[in-house]
Amino acid sequence: MATLVGKKFPNLNVDAMNEMAETFKVNVLEEAIKNKKKVILFWYPKDFTFVCPTELHAFQAALPEFDKRNTIVIGASCDTPEVHFAWLNTPKDHGGIQGVTYPILGDSNRNLSSRLGILDITNETYDEETGAIQVEGDNVTYRATYLIDEEGTVFHESVNDMPLGRNVKEFLRLIDAYTHVQENGEVCPANWEEGKDAMQADSKGVANYLASHKN
C-alpha cells in the first residue's frame, strides 16, 4: 500500500480493551481530532510473545513524556480484546503487561491492519474448486508505527520486521521535531533534538546552518 504520510488516517472504529476490563470502540482519527492531540499508534505481532511485552512496557514507562507532548498512546494487534485482558492481568515477571494503562486495539477482524497493509502475508492463493482463499504467512502485523497530528494527518510511519524492537525515544524526538515545525515554521536537520538549532527551508538557511555546524 502507498504511504499514508501527508494523508488522513483511516476513519475506522476498532474494538479496544483497557486495564479496567472495559471493551469499547476506538477511532484513531477521531481521537486525534476531537481531543486536539497527536496520537502514536504502534502495532505489534502477538500477545504472550517475546519482544512485544518489552515494547509495551517501554511505551508505558514513557507515557509521562508523551503526555507532556500532548500525545495519546495507543497499542494494537490482531488479538481479541479478551486476550489483551488476559495479558494485562499477567504479571511482568511472568511475561505479561500488567501495569499498562493505555488502550490496546483488538483488530481481530483485521479491518484496519488490512487497510494499512501491515499484515505478514507473503502470498495468497485462490482455490477455484472450494472458493477458499489461503494465505501464506502468520497474518499478524509487523511492528508498524504511525504518528498522527491534531488534524488526523499522518506525519510519520515506519515498519519493523518481527525481531526488531523499537526505540521509543526516537518517536519522542520525531514528535518534538514536528511540533517545532508547526510552531516555528523552521525545518529540522539530521539528528535534530529539542534545544538544538533548526533552519529556514531555503538555500540561505541551509548554507548558514552548514557553515555554523561544520563538525
Side-chain angles (χ1 to χ4, degrees):
M1 180 178 173
T3 180
L4 279 178
V5 171
K7 302 172 184 174
K8 296 291 185 184
F9 193 81
N11 183 11
L12 289 175
N13 295 320
V14 183
D15 288 336
M17 174 66 73
N18 63 20
E19 84 282 9
M20 302 299 292
E22 296 169 334
T23 303
F24 50 97
K25 297 285 186 182
V26 170
N27 184 310
V28 176
L29 178 67
E30 288 181 357
E31 287 297 308
I33 295 172
K34 76 179 181 182
N35 292 299
K36 296 181 173 59
K37 291 188 176 187
K38 294 181 175 67
V39 174
I40 179 166
L41 171 66
F42 72 96
W43 294 82
Y44 61 91
K46 296 178 184 178
D47 293 1
F48 293 99
T49 52
F50 317 114
V51 176
C52 297
T54 69
E55 291 195 312
L56 274 83
H57 286 298
F59 278 103
Q60 178 67 31
L63 209 54
E65 293 300 318
F66 286 108
D67 286 341
K68 286 180 190 176
R69 291 161 173 82
N70 198 40
T71 300
I72 298 167
V73 176
I74 302 174
S77 81
C78 295
D79 295 282
T80 65
E82 292 77 16
V83 175
H84 288 337
F85 185 60
W87 204 24
L88 283 162
N89 276 281
T90 303
K92 187 175 182 179
D93 58 4
H94 285 78
I97 57 167
Q98 195 172 69
V100 166
T101 59
Y102 50 81
I104 305 174
L105 303 186
D107 187 38
S108 55
N109 58 18
R110 290 162 172 75
N111 284 343
L112 181 54
S113 49
S114 295
R115 178 91 168 265
L116 297 173
I118 56 173
L119 290 167
D120 174 23
I121 299 175
T122 55
N123 190 37
E124 291 187 20
T125 57
Y126 176 71
D127 188 322
E128 292 186 359
E129 183 177 342
T130 64
I133 296 175
Q134 292 185 324
V135 299
E136 296 176 18
D138 288 338
N139 202 23
V140 297
T141 65
Y142 292 106
R143 299 187 192 281
T145 313
Y146 297 86
L147 296 179
I148 302 148
D149 72 13
E150 299 87 346
E151 296 181 353
T153 302
V154 177
F155 64 92
H156 168 85
E157 65 180 359
S158 58
V159 182
N160 288 9
D161 200 357
M162 311 296 188
L164 306 177
R166 283 161 282 209
N167 185 336
V168 175
K169 290 181 180 178
E170 172 63 4
F171 301 116
L172 294 169
R173 188 193 73 84
L174 288 167
I175 292 168
D176 286 341
Y178 190 77
T179 301
H180 184 91
V181 173
Q182 287 177 310
E183 294 177 351
N184 299 282
E186 296 180 313
V187 294
C188 298
N191 301 320
W192 183 91
E193 294 176 345
E194 184 66 47
K196 290 187 176 181
D197 293 336
M199 63 187 189
Q200 294 298 316
D202 54 34
S203 57
K204 184 178 179 181
V206 68
N208 289 340
Y209 178 86
L210 293 174
S212 60
H213 296 78
K214 294 182 178 180
N215 295 325

